[in-house]
Amino acid sequence: MQMTWKKGVGAAAIVFVIAYGISVWWSIEPDVLTPEVMTSEKGEKITGYATTSALINTMETLLDKQGGWLSNDMMPPSVMMDNMPAFEFGALEQVRDLALIMRKEFSRSQSQSTADKDLLEAHSKLNIEHTSWLVPSAESEYRDAIKLLKVYRARMMDPNNPDAQFYARADNLNEWLKEVQKRLGSMSQRLAASVGQERLNTDLAGDSAARQSTPNLASQQIKTSWWQIDDVFYESRGSAWALLNFMKAVEVDFADVLKKKNAEVSLKQIIRELEATQQTVWSPMILNGSGFGLVANHSLVMANYVSRANAAVIDLTNLLSQG
């Protein structure tokens, strides 16, 4: 009996070590992508190719990395993992934002023009719940979206097909940057809440005539649960990773617009801050120290980079808005 018990414990230990090794391997984050550039037969850069390719490649990387798409896995060891699924969701949110702007702004010449059918359907498929594992599964819908984006890219590159376009203008770039601002602002607030803080209600600030549906408290205590701190951290890290891929592509496609507005340095500053969010995390766990104590607070460090990136995005938006 004792020998059987020891064998059972030994077998369980071996299974645990193997499962832990697999989870560590699957938790390795993907590298930042290099923007792709395509030229026409005349040697001219094809506008929109880099941004569209960045959207495609970002989703393909998430689906094809070690372990594949983990957010909807129901089997061990992935069902016990939360850092990589949080990373995937953060990146997916940025993908959805860019896909929306491509459908509404980048592919349309004016407000009365029709939306591109492939981008419309691709954006719809990207909005399926990321944890869906039954028919249709999240992976199948996302791969369908990638196929549609590739069809749009091929049509956009065809000089004989003027229906598919990508318009690199200051006004539509600003529309995407407004979405980026909201996303980065939310990330920064959630990261800062790791230590808890009392936030004043500024919902109606700046307009004495403004009203809201129901009254809110003048202030409230905001604090992220200890169990969710690492999830918020890795969700922000995934979001910044995807956004970095897109910013590098925008730097290519909107080069002329940025040069005219003398805004190249502003975009490079955004890229620099986002690159800082992708530094290696040497700690085996996300620490949550407070103030100037002995233990680091990784969430606050991430919030610092995100906030600085957001400030640079606001500066870039202002530059693009100027005549």
Side-chain angles (χ1 to χ4, degrees):
M1 179 66 71
Q2 186 176 7
M3 184 62 67
T4 302
W5 180 81
K6 289 183 177 179
K7 288 182 178 180
V9 172
I14 293 173
V15 170
F16 174 80
V17 170
I18 293 175
Y20 179 76
I22 292 174
S23 65
V24 171
W25 171 247
W26 286 357
S27 295
I28 297 176
E29 299 168 9
D31 295 330
V32 176
L33 306 180
T34 302
E36 295 184 6
V37 180
M38 181 66 68
T39 56
S40 64
E41 295 179 355
K42 297 180 180 180
E44 299 175 347
K45 181 185 65 179
I46 298 177
T47 301
Y49 185 90
T51 302
T52 308
S53 297
L55 186 59
I56 293 170
N57 295 339
T58 296
M59 276 309 303
E60 285 187 330
T61 300
L62 290 172
L63 293 172
D64 297 334
K65 60 179 172 45
Q66 307 94 298
W69 186 260
L70 300 178
S71 295
N72 62 350
D73 282 4
M74 295 291 108
M75 297 295 290
S78 50
V79 72
M80 304 299 295
M81 298 169 60
D82 57 356
N83 292 346
M84 183 51 70
F87 183 97
E88 292 171 348
F89 179 69
L92 179 63
E93 288 285 84
Q94 290 291 353
V95 167
R96 288 169 173 169
D97 287 348
L98 180 57
L100 175 64
I101 295 302
M102 286 187 63
R103 175 175 69 84
K104 292 175 58 179
E105 305 292 340
F106 291 167
S107 63
R108 301 177 66 182
S109 59
Q110 52 188 349
S111 61
Q112 299 301 315
S113 60
T114 58
D116 186 273
K117 63 181 187 304
D118 292 321
L119 292 179
L120 185 63
E121 189 175 353
H123 178 248
S124 176
K125 288 184 176 295
L126 287 170
N127 278 295
I128 188 176
E129 183 63 41
H130 68 292
T131 57
S132 176
W133 60 278
L134 291 174
V135 180
S137 67
E139 295 101 317
S140 64
E141 290 293 280
Y142 297 156
R143 291 198 185 277
D144 287 345
I146 291 172
K147 292 177 183 177
L148 290 164
L149 290 170
K150 288 182 177 179
V151 171
Y152 162 75
R153 184 177 63 181
R155 291 168 50 228
M156 180 188 67
M157 295 170 57
D158 186 0
N160 298 318
N161 187 358
D163 293 336
Q165 296 289 344
F166 185 101
Y167 298 98
R169 302 192 311 262
D171 61 331
N172 58 17
L173 177 57
N174 245 348
E175 292 300 317
W176 177 59
L177 293 175
K178 290 177 183 178
E179 295 296 323
V180 172
Q181 285 181 40
K182 296 174 185 176
R183 191 68 66 184
L184 292 178
S186 176
M187 286 164 51
S188 178
Q189 290 289 333
R190 293 177 65 202
L191 288 164
S194 62
V195 294
Q197 57 183 204
E198 186 177 3
R199 291 184 187 168
L200 300 177
N201 187 349
T202 60
D203 295 344
L204 303 180
D207 188 351
S208 60
R211 296 291 182 269
Q212 63 187 67
S213 303
T214 56
N216 280 344
L217 298 175
S219 65
Q220 55 182 325
Q221 188 72 17
I222 305 295
K223 183 175 175 61
T224 303
S225 166
W226 186 85
W227 298 100
Q228 297 178 350
I229 287 172
D230 60 333
D231 294 342
V232 174
F233 177 87
Y234 280 102
E235 180 182 329
S236 301
R237 193 168 167 90
S239 183
W241 171 79
L243 184 58
L244 180 55
N245 295 336
F246 301 154
M247 286 292 178
K248 286 178 173 288
V250 162
E251 187 178 26
V252 174
D253 283 331
F254 290 82
D256 294 338
V257 172
L258 295 168
K259 183 177 181 180
K260 180 181 178 181
K261 298 289 186 176
N262 196 26
E264 300 104 323
V265 176
S266 296
L267 183 57
K268 290 184 182 297
Q269 183 62 33
I270 298 171
I271 291 174
R272 176 175 294 181
E273 299 298 346
L274 291 174
E275 287 175 337
T277 67
Q278 302 303 300
Q279 298 178 73
T280 302
V281 180
W282 295 106
S283 173
M285 64 181 297
I286 301 304
L287 301 179
N288 191 43
S290 60
F292 297 103
L294 295 175
V295 180
N297 186 301
H298 293 113
S299 297
L300 291 184
V301 175
M302 178 69 78
N304 176 57
Y305 292 129
V306 170
S307 297
R308 287 164 56 177
N310 197 23
V313 170
I314 294 173
D315 290 341
L316 178 57
T317 302
N318 293 333
L319 284 175
L320 294 174
S321 300
Q322 298 173 3

